[in-house]
Amino acid sequence: SGDVVRARRQQRQLERLVGTLVARYSLDARVANLWAYNAKNGVLIDHAPAIAAGVRAVDPRLDQARWRFLRALWLDPFNPEALNGLGTIAWFDHDLDTAEFYVRAALRRRRNYPAARQDLALILQLKHRTKLGGDA
């Protein structure tokens, strides 16, 4: 659809802009986190219907996003956004125990973190469906 095409185009523009920020501010944890989320969002744009349906996203960009979140955590080891980001990457890849661990770690750092609470609920729902033999 047109919305997805527009989102992909905007995502590519953001990747270039964020890449420039990373080159200029290579040790800034906020920039590293933005860079990681940009990679994760690129995967989400292309796989949102499958992820929402509980289908594992298979995309080599998941590794790129994972490494970017690890860089953000290297710069700021207790960053709740980066912890939650690693959790969502694990969720997309159906590594649900790891996903739950990282999202819960984010919530330990920031109890009032609505996005992480929502992610945790979805991860737990998928874990429950998987245990029941659902099509996860």
Side-chain angles (χ1 to χ4, degrees), residues 1-127:
S1 103
D3 290 341
V4 172
V5 171
R6 186 171 41 254
R8 283 183 185 133
R9 185 173 41 250
Q10 290 173 339
Q11 190 67 28
R12 284 191 303 272
Q13 290 171 342
L14 281 172
E15 183 65 22
R16 287 190 297 274
L17 292 171
V18 174
T20 300
L21 282 174
V22 169
R24 183 169 180 152
Y25 303 103
S26 62
L27 297 179
D28 187 307
R30 294 168 301 172
V31 170
N33 202 44
L34 182 64
W35 191 44
Y37 267 96
N38 195 62
K40 180 201 69 105
N41 290 341
V43 174
L44 186 56
I45 287 169
D46 290 340
H47 299 282
I51 291 168
V55 176
R56 180 176 177 242
V58 178
D59 191 311
R61 294 174 299 170
L62 286 172
D63 279 339
Q64 181 185 47
R66 185 177 292 111
W67 282 108
R68 288 180 182 188
F69 279 117
L70 288 171
R71 176 185 174 82
L73 285 170
W74 174 73
L75 293 167
D76 181 2
F78 300 107
N79 181 304
E81 290 88 6
L83 290 165
N84 190 64
L86 272 176
T88 59
I89 293 300
W91 161 28
F92 296 172
D93 200 28
H94 278 211
D95 183 354
L96 300 178
D97 289 334
T98 300
E100 181 181 355
F101 172 84
Y102 279 111
V103 174
R104 285 188 187 279
L107 287 166
R108 287 183 75 176
R109 299 301 305 160
R110 183 181 303 145
R111 294 199 186 285
N112 186 21
Y113 186 177
R117 288 195 182 285
Q118 181 180 349
D119 290 343
L120 181 60
L122 292 168
I123 290 163
L124 293 175
Q125 182 181 46
L126 184 56
K127 283 181 79 169

